[in-house]
Amino acid sequence: MKITRIHVENYKSIKELDISPSPKLNVFIGDNGVGKSNIFDAINWLLGPIYPTFNATTKQDHYLGDEKNRILIQLYFEDDYLLELDESKDRYQFSIKRYGTYQKDLGTLREGFCSAYVGVGRQIVDYLPSNRWSLLGRILLDINKKFLEERTETGECKSEKLKAELDRIRDDLLFSVVDGEGNNIMQKFATILQEESANQMNKKTEDFRLSFNLYDPWNFYRTLQILVNEPDIGLTFQASQLGTGAQAAITIAILRAYSEIKLGGGNPIFIDEPELFLHPQAQRNFYKILRKLAEENDIQIFYITHSPYLISLEHFDESFVVRKTKESGTCVRNADIDKFVEDLKIRKGIDSNETTLKLHYKNAYEQTADSLSSLEAFFAKKVILVEGGSEALILPYFFGKIHFDYIKEKITIVKCGGKSELDRFCRLYSEFGIPSYVIFDGDKHHRNEDREKSIIMNHELFDILGEIKSEDFPDGKIHANYLGFEYDFNYALKLAGFEDVYNEGNPERSPKGLDLFLKVKGQVENSTVKIPDWISQIRESIINLPEEVDSVLKQRISEEQSVEYDDLPF
């Protein structure tokens, strides 16, 4: 049962939040303290092991610590189910509706929505099947359900055969213990207990009987333990006695088992920081397991991460960037694929679809030659977009020389793999509210068809950067959100006084990448040339970028948004 909408009001740092999650992976990204865990806590309140009530609610559980801010949590599911916890109601604060009708037997019905939760502790004891909401509990509940449905080759119900076998074991073995006089101890114990209970409560002896809960197969499954053998020392340990790294590895094994068994227990899984205690390769492997669970097993997964190895540029619509502001509390930005498709249609007249558009972003990601930085940008406060390796090498060096610690300021430099990709990345990051500073070459030295292509790309960049330009080439000046060199980066370095950095006869053969970096660094270190003034100006512009930006995607104006002639100022 998948969640289709999450609505939360007045819970901890959340003033009001409305999320439409992906049916597959849902990745929550953001700084510490912005409220990511509060979102998960709100969901777990309704879907976790404890029946949802407000009995233990404190002042701090309310937005701004004000108990007048009544908490509301709503989870919408497939098949038109709604789970709701509403503090404003005097009675029946927790309810389940279907098609708008209140449902009965909430305790039993709620179990059908139970979701496994993997916390940051990664302690195996938290996931053992004694807890039906744990990972192992989910797996074994599915196995137990299938066991209750199956029959033997002779047509006998397996659960009934288990009951008969347990009765025999009980009578022949467990209840066969005798004392020194040959009396059956268990029978004597049962007789005394029945007679004395009846006497104390003034009832008949036959009104009491002893029953052992042997017949529910779940009681066998829930005793499962994971044991680890250490042959070098000849000892066996429970997995719960191992270190956190080993326990984290076993957690992955449990998830792998869940993905391979495919019994169809389709409720969501929630994981807090899956990268904990895992090296980068293990993180990438963990992401593959999560992707397989989502794609092949049709399991909806939610997780919080601080690792670029646990997100995908191809599936950028599955990411949710979380922020917190003084005015709005915890808020979330997500990207809608359909808006990108519509934007492309408006700008280029190209009809596209979700699959094709995602492939283009996957290709852009793979062609950046700096794919990790393009993912790190989702965790950044601001992004500097550059065309290639020359700028990506030299800018950090220049920043260091003017004592601008851009990494401390949570700024990421992304080399986009060419001028044609700058607008793609700018549109993507802006959709998540991440401000970009774009540095690009105007390429005025280009001729013929290359010149025409350069002009088209220049105007596309002007448009996305909010500039209304009649000129075909940038002016080489610092702007609030971009620097466009009239010619190119090499020529700008030449104008700043650097030598042997620009090929006058054939600009395309000017030194690039590491070769250019070494020439520039050598001249700075020898005090031949000073750091260009525009580096300090870039720093100031980047610092002054807003904390969050609006979408730059073009959308058609709906009838409701259309302007009446009477509203126009002329």
Side-chain angles (χ1 to χ4, degrees):
M1 192 82 71
K2 295 180 180 179
I3 300 173
T4 58
R5 180 188 170 199
I6 301 164
H7 183 80
V8 183
E9 294 180 18
N10 295 322
Y11 179 63
K12 295 186 177 179
S13 63
I14 302 170
K15 181 179 182 180
E16 184 173 0
L17 193 66
D18 205 273
I19 300 171
S20 298
S22 160
K24 296 176 182 176
L25 296 184
N26 295 273
V27 190
F28 287 78
I29 300 165
D31 281 344
N32 292 323
V34 296
K36 301 184 300 295
S37 294
N38 291 341
I39 298 172
F40 276 36
D41 288 346
I43 299 169
N44 197 45
W45 196 350
L46 270 63
L47 304 183
I50 301 174
Y51 190 86
T53 71
F54 289 101
N55 293 341
T57 305
T58 67
K59 182 178 180 181
Q60 286 69 35
D61 291 323
H62 298 78
Y63 181 65
L64 299 179
D66 187 349
E67 293 177 318
K68 293 179 181 178
N69 293 326
R70 298 302 183 96
I71 298 170
L72 172 66
I73 303 172
Q74 296 174 318
L75 300 180
Y76 294 80
F77 284 83
E78 295 173 325
D79 297 331
D80 208 28
Y81 276 103
L82 167 62
L83 274 67
E84 180 179 88
L85 186 63
D86 188 353
E87 195 178 18
S88 67
K89 294 180 178 178
D90 295 328
R91 301 175 61 194
Y92 310 119
Q93 293 173 316
F94 174 68
S95 63
I96 300 178
K97 297 179 185 178
R98 191 180 189 196
Y99 303 122
T101 302
Y102 286 98
Q103 305 295 299
K104 299 179 180 179
D105 194 13
L106 299 185
T108 301
L109 185 58
R110 193 179 78 93
E111 286 192 10
F113 296 89
C114 72
S115 299
Y117 180 80
V118 181
V120 295
R122 300 293 192 273
Q123 299 296 312
I124 293 298
V125 292
D126 295 332
Y127 312 131
L128 293 179
S130 55
N131 180 356
R132 291 173 184 246
W133 273 261
S134 70
L135 281 172
L136 278 173
R138 285 275 298 276
I139 296 171
L140 295 178
L141 275 173
D142 289 342
I143 295 174
N144 184 48
K145 180 180 178 181
K146 191 168 182 61
F147 173 79
L148 294 174
E149 297 170 350
E150 288 190 351
R151 294 182 175 272
T152 64
E153 293 180 358
T154 59
E156 183 181 3
C157 180
K158 286 185 177 180
S159 59
E160 290 298 321
K161 184 172 183 179
L162 174 65
K163 181 179 181 299
E165 290 294 323
L166 290 175
D167 283 342
R168 181 184 62 78
I169 292 172
R170 179 197 64 193
D171 296 337
D172 293 350
L173 297 175
L174 295 178
F175 289 4
S176 64
V177 181
V178 296
D179 59 17
E181 299 176 356
N183 298 314
N184 187 300
I185 297 175
M186 198 64 200
Q187 185 178 9
K188 185 176 180 179
F189 167 71
T191 301
I192 295 172
L193 192 61
Q194 285 175 288
E195 291 176 350
E196 187 59 27
S197 297
N199 182 49
Q200 292 293 330
M201 299 181 65
N202 196 25
K203 287 181 175 289
K204 297 178 182 180
T205 302
E206 55 266 27
D207 290 337
F208 293 87
R209 65 186 179 88
L210 293 183
S211 176
F212 290 85
N213 196 13
L214 295 173
Y215 308 123
D216 185 351
W218 169 248
N219 291 314
F220 290 89
Y221 290 128
R222 67 187 299 178
T223 63
L224 181 143
Q225 289 281 342
I226 299 175
L227 302 177
V228 180
N229 184 41
E230 293 287 354
D232 294 339
I233 56 177
L235 294 175
T236 299
F237 297 94
Q238 291 184 358
S240 57
Q241 297 175 305
L242 301 176
T244 51
Q247 294 192 47
I250 293 174
T251 301
I252 297 177
I254 295 170
L255 274 171
R256 172 72 182 275
Y258 195 86
S259 69
E260 294 292 340
I261 292 174
K262 300 181 181 179
L263 288 179
N267 289 353
I269 295 175
F270 293 83
I271 309 174
D272 200 344
E273 299 187 37
E275 68 271 16
L276 287 180
F277 314 114
L278 301 177
H279 56 74
Q281 290 83 357
Q283 292 179 35
R284 286 196 289 267
N285 182 56
F286 203 167
Y287 179 79
K288 288 175 61 179
I289 293 172
L290 296 176
R291 175 59 58 189
K292 183 175 182 179
L293 273 170
E295 299 283 356
E296 298 183 14
N297 292 48
D298 201 28
I299 301 294
Q300 188 179 36
I301 300 174
F302 296 77
Y303 61 91
I304 296 169
T305 186
H306 295 279
S307 170
Y309 297 109
L310 271 297
I311 61 175
S312 166
L313 200 67
E314 176 186 0
H315 301 283
F316 63 83
D317 57 319
E318 297 174 343
S319 295
F320 297 81
V321 174
V322 185
R323 296 180 178 84
K324 186 170 70 173
T325 67
K326 184 178 180 180
E327 297 77 18
S328 304
T330 294
C331 49
V332 173
R333 289 281 294 267
N334 174 243
D336 185 344
I337 287 285
D338 291 338
K339 290 183 179 180
F340 281 82
V341 172
E342 183 177 357
D343 170 79
L344 187 61
K345 176 67 174 177
I346 294 171
R347 289 188 299 111
K348 301 278 193 177
I350 298 174
D351 289 311
S352 187
N353 54 52
E354 177 178 338
T355 302
T356 303
L357 194 138
K358 282 187 172 182
L359 284 174
H360 278 287
Y361 269 95
K362 179 184 178 183
N363 180 67
Y365 164 72
E366 292 173 348
Q367 295 301 319
T368 61
D370 192 19
S371 53
L372 192 60
S373 291
S374 67
L375 295 176
E376 286 179 357
F378 284 94
F379 302 89
K381 285 191 176 294
K382 299 170 184 179
V383 177
I384 303 173
L385 299 179
V386 300
E387 293 186 29
S390 298
E391 300 94 322
L393 283 170
I394 293 173
L395 283 177
Y397 173 71
F398 282 166
F399 288 156
K401 286 297 181 180
I402 64 170
H403 308 292
F404 176 41
D405 192 346
Y406 73 99
I407 295 176
K408 183 180 178 181
E409 298 294 329
K410 298 181 179 178
I411 297 169
T412 296
I413 299 174
V414 178
K415 53 182 178 183
C416 299
K419 183 177 178 179
S420 61
E421 296 294 341
L422 286 169
D423 71 321
R424 189 191 307 276
F425 282 93
C426 189
R427 292 177 204 280
L428 175 64
Y429 297 137
S430 72
E431 200 63 14
F432 291 92
I434 304 168
S436 298
Y437 193 88
V438 182
I439 300 176
F440 66 99
D441 298 337
D443 296 319
K444 195 172 182 179
H445 57 278
H446 283 175
R447 295 289 180 265
N448 303 323
E449 290 184 5
D450 288 342
R451 186 182 180 87
E452 292 302 317
K453 290 179 182 178
S454 295
I455 291 172
I456 292 172
M457 284 190 282
N458 288 340
H459 282 287
E460 287 177 346
L461 288 169
F462 291 149
D463 179 62
I464 199 173
L465 294 167
E467 291 277 6
I468 300 175
K469 288 277 190 181
S470 58
E471 299 87 355
D472 291 333
F473 298 95
D475 56 17
K477 297 178 181 179
I478 299 292
H479 294 263
N481 58 347
Y482 78 95
L483 167 60
F485 300 112
E486 188 176 9
Y487 289 88
D488 62 15
F489 183 57
N490 291 70
Y491 190 73
L493 291 173
K494 176 192 173 185
L495 293 180
F498 290 92
E499 297 180 353
D500 299 324
V501 295
Y502 185 72
N503 188 321
E504 293 279 359
N506 189 351
E508 299 302 320
R509 302 198 64 174
S510 297
K512 304 290 183 183
L514 184 60
D515 184 22
L516 179 62
F517 171 75
L518 292 175
K519 290 179 181 293
V520 168
K521 182 182 178 183
Q523 293 176 54
V524 171
E525 297 298 330
N526 292 331
S527 300
T528 307
V529 186
K530 295 180 179 179
I531 302 298
D533 292 337
W534 41 265
I535 292 297
S536 296
Q537 295 169 354
I538 289 174
R539 176 187 61 186
E540 295 305 313
S541 295
I542 293 170
I543 289 173
N544 290 324
L545 285 173
E547 294 298 315
E548 185 177 355
V549 295
D550 295 329
S551 169
V552 297
L553 299 182
K554 296 186 181 299
Q555 302 294 300
R556 298 189 188 281
I557 299 176
S558 65
E559 292 182 5
E560 293 80 3
Q561 295 173 310
S562 61
V563 180
E564 298 291 338
Y565 286 109
D566 293 342
D567 296 331
L568 295 175
F570 54 82

mmCIF file of all heavy atoms in Angstrom, residues 415-440:
data_model
loop_
_atom_site.group_PDB
_atom_site.id
_atom_site.type_symbol
_atom_site.label_atom_id
_atom_site.label_comp_id
_atom_site.label_asym_id
_atom_site.label_seq_id
_atom_site.Cartn_x
_atom_site.Cartn_y
_atom_site.Cartn_z
ATOM 1 N N LYS A 415 31.383 21.387 -13.160
ATOM 2 C CA LYS A 415 31.733 21.547 -14.573
ATOM 3 C C LYS A 415 30.723 20.739 -15.389
ATOM 4 O O LYS A 415 30.572 19.533 -15.216
ATOM 5 C CB LYS A 415 33.169 21.121 -14.852
ATOM 6 C CG LYS A 415 33.578 19.736 -14.396
ATOM 7 C CD LYS A 415 35.048 19.492 -14.706
ATOM 8 C CE LYS A 415 35.502 18.125 -14.205
ATOM 9 N NZ LYS A 415 36.932 17.892 -14.432
ATOM 10 N N CYS A 416 30.045 21.425 -16.274
ATOM 11 C CA CYS A 416 28.860 20.865 -16.921
ATOM 12 C C CYS A 416 29.159 20.114 -18.215
ATOM 13 O O CYS A 416 28.241 19.578 -18.846
ATOM 14 C CB CYS A 416 27.851 21.971 -17.189
ATOM 15 S SG CYS A 416 27.271 22.785 -15.675
ATOM 16 N N GLY A 417 30.413 20.093 -18.625
ATOM 17 C CA GLY A 417 30.760 19.334 -19.817
ATOM 18 C C GLY A 417 30.499 20.081 -21.115
ATOM 19 O O GLY A 417 30.343 19.471 -22.173
ATOM 20 N N GLY A 418 30.429 21.400 -21.048
ATOM 21 C CA GLY A 418 30.221 22.191 -22.260
ATOM 22 C C GLY A 418 29.185 23.276 -22.042
ATOM 23 O O GLY A 418 28.328 23.197 -21.157
ATOM 24 N N LYS A 419 29.263 24.293 -22.880
ATOM 25 C CA LYS A 419 28.358 25.435 -22.781
ATOM 26 C C LYS A 419 26.902 25.033 -22.986
ATOM 27 O O LYS A 419 25.988 25.586 -22.361
ATOM 28 C CB LYS A 419 28.777 26.472 -23.826
ATOM 29 C CG LYS A 419 27.986 27.753 -23.829
ATOM 30 C CD LYS A 419 28.581 28.700 -24.865
ATOM 31 C CE LYS A 419 27.820 30.003 -24.979
ATOM 32 N NZ LYS A 419 28.438 30.896 -25.972
ATOM 33 N N SER A 420 26.676 24.057 -23.847
ATOM 34 C CA SER A 420 25.305 23.654 -24.172
ATOM 35 C C SER A 420 24.583 23.011 -23.002
ATOM 36 O O SER A 420 23.348 22.887 -23.027
ATOM 37 C CB SER A 420 25.321 22.684 -25.361
ATOM 38 O OG SER A 420 26.055 21.515 -25.036
ATOM 39 N N GLU A 421 25.338 22.570 -21.984
ATOM 40 C CA GLU A 421 24.717 21.904 -20.837
ATOM 41 C C GLU A 421 24.476 22.853 -19.663
ATOM 42 O O GLU A 421 23.833 22.472 -18.682
ATOM 43 C CB GLU A 421 25.592 20.731 -20.370
ATOM 44 C CG GLU A 421 25.752 19.620 -21.386
ATOM 45 C CD GLU A 421 24.445 18.889 -21.672
ATOM 46 O OE1 GLU A 421 23.510 18.995 -20.854
ATOM 47 O OE2 GLU A 421 24.346 18.243 -22.727
ATOM 48 N N LEU A 422 24.989 24.075 -19.733
ATOM 49 C CA LEU A 422 24.858 24.990 -18.598
ATOM 50 C C LEU A 422 23.402 25.265 -18.252
ATOM 51 O O LEU A 422 23.014 25.244 -17.080
ATOM 52 C CB LEU A 422 25.564 26.314 -18.914
ATOM 53 C CG LEU A 422 27.099 26.291 -18.895
ATOM 54 C CD1 LEU A 422 27.642 27.589 -19.492
ATOM 55 C CD2 LEU A 422 27.621 26.106 -17.485
ATOM 56 N N ASP A 423 22.586 25.526 -19.278
ATOM 57 C CA ASP A 423 21.191 25.864 -18.988
ATOM 58 C C ASP A 423 20.432 24.670 -18.434
ATOM 59 O O ASP A 423 19.526 24.818 -17.616
ATOM 60 C CB ASP A 423 20.498 26.419 -20.233
ATOM 61 C CG ASP A 423 20.249 25.375 -21.292
ATOM 62 O OD1 ASP A 423 21.113 24.515 -21.488
ATOM 63 O OD2 ASP A 423 19.169 25.420 -21.926
ATOM 64 N N ARG A 424 20.796 23.449 -18.846
ATOM 65 C CA ARG A 424 20.126 22.247 -18.343
ATOM 66 C C ARG A 424 20.317 22.119 -16.827
ATOM 67 O O ARG A 424 19.366 21.888 -16.081
ATOM 68 C CB ARG A 424 20.667 21.003 -19.051
ATOM 69 C CG ARG A 424 19.854 19.745 -18.733
ATOM 70 C CD ARG A 424 20.564 18.489 -19.214
ATOM 71 N NE ARG A 424 20.947 18.547 -20.614
ATOM 72 C CZ ARG A 424 20.137 18.249 -21.621
ATOM 73 N NH1 ARG A 424 18.889 17.894 -21.375
ATOM 74 N NH2 ARG A 424 20.571 18.306 -22.867
ATOM 75 N N PHE A 425 21.587 22.287 -16.402
ATOM 76 C CA PHE A 425 21.857 22.160 -14.967
ATOM 77 C C PHE A 425 21.259 23.326 -14.181
ATOM 78 O O PHE A 425 20.789 23.158 -13.060
ATOM 79 C CB PHE A 425 23.361 22.054 -14.717
ATOM 80 C CG PHE A 425 23.919 20.695 -15.014
ATOM 81 C CD1 PHE A 425 24.446 20.386 -16.259
ATOM 82 C CD2 PHE A 425 23.904 19.705 -14.039
ATOM 83 C CE1 PHE A 425 24.955 19.129 -16.535
ATOM 84 C CE2 PHE A 425 24.405 18.434 -14.309
ATOM 85 C CZ PHE A 425 24.937 18.146 -15.556
ATOM 86 N N CYS A 426 21.276 24.508 -14.781
ATOM 87 C CA CYS A 426 20.702 25.677 -14.117
ATOM 88 C C CYS A 426 19.200 25.487 -13.891
ATOM 89 O O CYS A 426 18.672 25.794 -12.805
ATOM 90 C CB CYS A 426 20.971 26.931 -14.938
ATOM 91 S SG CYS A 426 20.525 28.462 -14.098
ATOM 92 N N ARG A 427 18.494 24.979 -14.893
ATOM 93 C CA ARG A 427 17.065 24.718 -14.745
ATOM 94 C C ARG A 427 16.808 23.673 -13.666
ATOM 95 O O ARG A 427 15.878 23.798 -12.865
ATOM 96 C CB ARG A 427 16.474 24.229 -16.077
ATOM 97 C CG ARG A 427 16.449 25.261 -17.166
ATOM 98 C CD ARG A 427 15.924 24.688 -18.485
ATOM 99 N NE ARG A 427 16.419 25.480 -19.609
ATOM 100 C CZ ARG A 427 15.893 26.635 -19.984
ATOM 101 N NH1 ARG A 427 14.871 27.125 -19.338
ATOM 102 N NH2 ARG A 427 16.402 27.302 -21.005
ATOM 103 N N LEU A 428 17.640 22.653 -13.656
ATOM 104 C CA LEU A 428 17.452 21.579 -12.675
ATOM 105 C C LEU A 428 17.623 22.087 -11.249
ATOM 106 O O LEU A 428 16.741 21.896 -10.400
ATOM 107 C CB LEU A 428 18.458 20.458 -12.954
ATOM 108 C CG LEU A 428 18.471 19.306 -11.939
ATOM 109 C CD1 LEU A 428 17.145 18.561 -11.949
ATOM 110 C CD2 LEU A 428 19.622 18.350 -12.218
ATOM 111 N N TYR A 429 18.735 22.745 -10.974
ATOM 112 C CA TYR A 429 18.993 23.182 -9.599
ATOM 113 C C TYR A 429 18.000 24.250 -9.145
ATOM 114 O O TYR A 429 17.593 24.271 -7.981
ATOM 115 C CB TYR A 429 20.432 23.678 -9.469
ATOM 116 C CG TYR A 429 21.473 22.609 -9.725
ATOM 117 C CD1 TYR A 429 22.610 22.863 -10.500
ATOM 118 C CD2 TYR A 429 21.323 21.334 -9.212
ATOM 119 C CE1 TYR A 429 23.556 21.883 -10.737
ATOM 120 C CE2 TYR A 429 22.266 20.342 -9.449
ATOM 121 C CZ TYR A 429 23.384 20.622 -10.217
ATOM 122 O OH TYR A 429 24.316 19.643 -10.453
ATOM 123 N N SER A 430 17.600 25.116 -10.060
ATOM 124 C CA SER A 430 16.643 26.161 -9.670
ATOM 125 C C SER A 430 15.301 25.552 -9.276
ATOM 126 O O SER A 430 14.586 26.106 -8.443
ATOM 127 C CB SER A 430 16.455 27.165 -10.813
ATOM 128 O OG SER A 430 15.724 26.599 -11.882
ATOM 129 N N GLU A 431 14.957 24.424 -9.876
ATOM 130 C CA GLU A 431 13.681 23.789 -9.535
ATOM 131 C C GLU A 431 13.674 23.325 -8.078
ATOM 132 O O GLU A 431 12.610 23.209 -7.464
ATOM 133 C CB GLU A 431 13.421 22.611 -10.481
ATOM 134 C CG GLU A 431 11.976 22.181 -10.560
ATOM 135 C CD GLU A 431 11.067 23.256 -11.111
ATOM 136 O OE1 GLU A 431 11.545 24.257 -11.681
ATOM 137 O OE2 GLU A 431 9.837 23.102 -10.958
ATOM 138 N N PHE A 432 14.850 23.072 -7.535
ATOM 139 C CA PHE A 432 14.967 22.705 -6.119
ATOM 140 C C PHE A 432 15.281 23.925 -5.249
ATOM 141 O O PHE A 432 15.563 23.783 -4.057
ATOM 142 C CB PHE A 432 16.054 21.648 -5.939
ATOM 143 C CG PHE A 432 15.685 20.307 -6.515
ATOM 144 C CD1 PHE A 432 16.029 19.968 -7.809
ATOM 145 C CD2 PHE A 432 14.977 19.391 -5.754
ATOM 146 C CE1 PHE A 432 15.676 18.741 -8.346
ATOM 147 C CE2 PHE A 432 14.616 18.157 -6.277
ATOM 148 C CZ PHE A 432 14.968 17.827 -7.577
ATOM 149 N N GLY A 433 15.256 25.098 -5.865
ATOM 150 C CA GLY A 433 15.513 26.322 -5.114
ATOM 151 C C GLY A 433 16.972 26.633 -4.904
ATOM 152 O O GLY A 433 17.306 27.582 -4.182
ATOM 153 N N ILE A 434 17.880 25.862 -5.515
ATOM 154 C CA ILE A 434 19.322 26.045 -5.313
ATOM 155 C C ILE A 434 19.830 27.130 -6.257
ATOM 156 O O ILE A 434 19.762 26.977 -7.482
ATOM 157 C CB ILE A 434 20.080 24.733 -5.570
ATOM 158 C CG1 ILE A 434 19.532 23.610 -4.677
ATOM 159 C CG2 ILE A 434 21.579 24.917 -5.322
ATOM 160 C CD1 ILE A 434 20.015 22.220 -5.055
ATOM 161 N N PRO A 435 20.344 28.255 -5.739
ATOM 162 C CA PRO A 435 20.812 29.343 -6.607
ATOM 163 C C PRO A 435 22.106 28.982 -7.331
ATOM 164 O O PRO A 435 23.008 28.386 -6.741
ATOM 165 C CB PRO A 435 21.020 30.514 -5.643
ATOM 166 C CG PRO A 435 21.126 29.913 -4.291
ATOM 167 C CD PRO A 435 20.429 28.600 -4.308
ATOM 168 N N SER A 436 22.186 29.354 -8.595
ATOM 169 C CA SER A 436 23.369 29.075 -9.407
ATOM 170 C C SER A 436 24.022 30.373 -9.866
ATOM 171 O O SER A 436 23.333 31.332 -10.222
ATOM 172 C CB SER A 436 22.998 28.244 -10.642
ATOM 173 O OG SER A 436 22.470 26.985 -10.284
ATOM 174 N N TYR A 437 25.357 30.389 -9.871
ATOM 175 C CA TYR A 437 26.125 31.457 -10.500
ATOM 176 C C TYR A 437 26.776 30.839 -11.724
ATOM 177 O O TYR A 437 27.544 29.880 -11.619
ATOM 178 C CB TYR A 437 27.166 32.046 -9.560
ATOM 179 C CG TYR A 437 27.752 33.338 -10.077
ATOM 180 C CD1 TYR A 437 27.149 34.555 -9.793
ATOM 181 C CD2 TYR A 437 28.889 33.343 -10.885
ATOM 182 C CE1 TYR A 437 27.655 35.747 -10.286
ATOM 183 C CE2 TYR A 437 29.408 34.530 -11.389
ATOM 184 C CZ TYR A 437 28.787 35.720 -11.082
ATOM 185 O OH TYR A 437 29.277 36.901 -11.584
ATOM 186 N N VAL A 438 26.478 31.375 -12.908
ATOM 187 C CA VAL A 438 26.904 30.768 -14.173
ATOM 188 C C VAL A 438 28.063 31.555 -14.770
ATOM 189 O O VAL A 438 27.998 32.783 -14.891
ATOM 190 C CB VAL A 438 25.732 30.716 -15.169
ATOM 191 C CG1 VAL A 438 26.171 30.028 -16.468
ATOM 192 C CG2 VAL A 438 24.538 29.987 -14.565
ATOM 193 N N ILE A 439 29.128 30.842 -15.133
ATOM 194 C CA ILE A 439 30.287 31.450 -15.800
ATOM 195 C C ILE A 439 30.426 30.783 -17.170
ATOM 196 O O ILE A 439 30.560 29.563 -17.257
ATOM 197 C CB ILE A 439 31.566 31.256 -14.969
ATOM 198 C CG1 ILE A 439 31.400 31.916 -13.586
ATOM 199 C CG2 ILE A 439 32.773 31.826 -15.686
ATOM 200 C CD1 ILE A 439 32.570 31.698 -12.651
ATOM 201 N N PHE A 440 30.374 31.593 -18.226
ATOM 202 C CA PHE A 440 30.391 30.990 -19.566
ATOM 203 C C PHE A 440 31.157 31.864 -20.558
ATOM 204 O O PHE A 440 31.392 33.060 -20.325
ATOM 205 C CB PHE A 440 28.962 30.746 -20.067
ATOM 206 C CG PHE A 440 28.157 31.987 -20.320
ATOM 207 C CD1 PHE A 440 28.013 32.501 -21.604
ATOM 208 C CD2 PHE A 440 27.503 32.644 -19.279
ATOM 209 C CE1 PHE A 440 27.257 33.634 -21.844
ATOM 210 C CE2 PHE A 440 26.739 33.782 -19.505
ATOM 211 C CZ PHE A 440 26.617 34.276 -20.797
#
